[in-house]
Amino acid sequence: MEEPTQPADLAGPISSTVHRWRRLAVRHDLQWSELLLIALNLYGLRGNNTEGMRLRINSEDEEFMTVLPADRATSPFSLRAHVDPSSPQHGLSELCVDGTPVAEIIEAEPGEEVRGYLRADGTSATLLLQSGTDAAEMVKGYRDLLQALASDLADDGTPHLFEEVMLSAGVAHDEALVVEHLIAVREAMNSEGLPDSTTLGVLTPALRNASAFSELAEKVGPVLLFLTTESFEDDGAEALAEPVVPEDAAAADPVPAATRQSERLAEILSAARASGHRTSFTYTVGSEPLDEMRAWLLPLAEQTTMWPSLAILPAESPVNDSQHVAAPDERLDFFLEARSLLEQIFAPTELRPEPWRCYRGLWYRQHAGEALAGPYV
């Protein structure tokens, strides 16, 4: 693989960090923009914006979006805007690595929470769970939100038809509540003229019982379940926290609590599949060694029907950096090694990442040496 070159319109002095990263890209057989986006998600932005930042950037003639921390004092990434009217670069905003421009900034906004947003070039709508909404107003609230998201996407007077609607309920742990909201979202989708074939998805740690999956299958049809493992709390969490010891303790080692949890999550995904639902999950890479990550993920991979959301653990939290398993100077290399291992884990599934699904992902332009088709945002 040839060493990546810097875009002509962003040419100039090249920092030692960029030189080092270019060598990493060659060693791992990655496109430059692929490594750049992984590093950006890992290190965040230099600054003091505690709200975070939503960035839309142009790298190698493709547009990408990411949401990342913007208060990392030691990050090599910074933003630079050319404001001198006499400069030929007036109006250009750049993403820089230790002062070296590496990509053009199309849009930069504070990462404030929104009620909903669009992905996949406007074909997928994500709705945040409207907590505290009266049951009688729930359907109307989701209809209003779908209308608002679709309003700028149809310029010929016809309603915009989404291919997927995802309910984001990552912090909700009440299973009955999530089921109630999914029923309301499907009713809102029907009222807006979306066909039954439109995918209804949910991002949640709450769904875990076969009865809930059966109710959803009956009342809303098949759903796409993304089980958020990071915030998962099981009814039997206390039992799972204790190692399981066989009667003959000398005959076998206790089953680690992490393994028991992984098996429990796989059971939940299996129950969802048994009711006809599609399954996936979220997992944040970086807090445990690669061999432990592999053992934890293997049971879930067997029950997954869509590529999981495998996100990067951001580097150097202003509060605590001890959660990272890799030392700071080895961290980028760790994530590139993890990426290769994850591709091996999911190789038997023949699933492929959809770059737009994960704001802080390990895959953008390529997977296992092959190009990934867009959309990317």
Side-chain angles (χ1 to χ4, degrees):
M1 180 175 179
E2 297 181 357
E3 182 168 321
T5 57
Q6 189 171 338
D9 58 341
L10 299 177
I14 300 176
S15 71
S16 60
T17 302
V18 170
H19 277 300
R20 186 170 70 253
W21 288 0
R22 286 181 172 179
R23 289 192 294 270
L24 266 181
V26 171
R27 191 168 84 214
H28 289 274
D29 194 26
L30 287 182
Q31 293 177 322
W32 168 240
S33 63
E34 191 85 345
L35 183 139
L36 183 67
L37 286 157
I38 292 171
L40 177 61
N41 282 311
L42 171 59
Y43 295 115
L45 282 174
R46 191 182 309 155
N48 56 8
N49 185 348
T50 57
E51 293 181 342
M53 187 75 71
R54 295 195 302 274
L55 283 188
R56 193 183 295 266
I57 71 174
N58 185 329
S59 179
E60 295 184 324
D61 296 324
E62 292 288 356
E63 189 174 320
F64 303 90
M65 175 175 280
T66 185
V67 178
L68 65 161
D71 57 357
R72 302 302 192 246
T74 60
S75 171
F77 286 99
S78 61
L79 304 182
R80 179 169 67 193
H82 294 271
V83 296
D84 182 358
S86 64
S87 169
Q89 294 178 305
H90 174 63
L92 175 68
S93 294
E94 299 166 326
L95 177 69
C96 299
V97 173
D98 288 340
T100 300
V102 291
E104 178 184 353
I105 299 297
I106 299 173
E107 183 180 33
E109 296 181 352
E112 297 176 348
E113 186 174 307
V114 294
R115 294 177 62 221
Y117 51 89
L118 299 176
R119 302 301 304 271
D121 287 344
T123 62
S124 175
T126 296
L127 316 180
L128 271 64
L129 185 138
Q130 304 300 295
S131 58
T133 304
D134 183 86
E137 297 295 322
M138 201 177 289
V139 174
K140 181 181 184 302
Y142 286 121
R143 283 195 68 181
D144 291 345
L145 189 48
L146 285 171
Q147 291 172 3
L149 291 172
S151 61
D152 295 332
L153 297 175
D155 52 11
D156 59 357
T158 59
H160 178 78
L161 298 181
F162 296 111
E163 297 175 8
E164 175 182 296
V165 176
M166 178 71 70
L167 178 66
S168 179
V171 297
H173 289 86
D174 185 326
E175 185 175 58
L177 176 70
V178 173
V179 170
E180 181 183 16
H181 278 261
L182 281 169
I183 294 172
V185 172
R186 175 60 83 181
E187 185 175 339
M189 292 166 62
N190 292 339
S191 298
E192 289 303 301
L194 296 177
D196 291 340
S197 58
T198 305
T199 296
L200 172 59
V202 61
L203 185 75
T204 182
L207 298 176
R208 60 176 66 89
N209 292 306
S211 57
F213 294 128
S214 296
E215 182 180 2
L216 286 171
E218 177 185 351
K219 296 181 178 179
V220 305
V223 300
L224 169 58
L225 168 66
F226 268 85
L227 189 60
T228 53
T229 65
E230 299 90 342
S231 55
F232 176 78
E233 296 177 2
D234 191 54
D235 295 336
E238 292 184 3
L240 291 178
E242 296 295 329
V244 178
V245 183
E247 293 182 5
D248 184 0
D253 293 329
V255 178
T259 301
R260 291 291 299 151
Q261 187 195 55
S262 175
E263 292 172 350
R264 172 64 177 134
L265 292 166
E267 290 172 359
I268 293 172
L269 295 178
S270 177
R273 291 182 65 184
S275 291
H277 304 298
R278 287 185 289 163
T279 55
S280 195
F281 63 93
T282 69
Y283 175 80
T284 301
V285 181
S287 61
E288 55 189 350
L290 297 182
D291 57 343
E292 294 181 17
M293 177 187 74
R294 180 180 183 277
W296 198 89
L297 288 176
L298 279 173
L300 279 74
E302 295 177 357
Q303 301 298 334
T304 301
T305 67
M306 178 168 283
W307 184 267
S309 179
L310 300 168
I312 294 172
L313 180 66
E316 205 160 1
S317 162
V319 178
N320 182 8
D321 193 34
S322 64
Q323 58 186 329
H324 259 283
V325 68
D329 58 347
E330 300 172 352
R331 202 159 285 163
L332 181 56
D333 201 30
F334 169 87
F335 279 98
L336 298 180
E337 293 288 349
R339 171 185 159 114
S340 297
L341 177 57
L342 288 161
E343 290 176 345
Q344 295 171 24
I345 291 171
F346 288 93
T349 69
E350 298 186 356
L351 302 176
R352 294 294 179 268
E354 294 175 287
W356 58 270
R357 281 197 180 272
C358 187
Y359 271 129
R360 192 174 288 133
L362 276 164
W363 289 267
Y364 288 92
R365 297 172 65 99
Q366 63 186 110
H367 170 272
E370 298 181 357
L372 287 172
Y376 302 103
V377 297

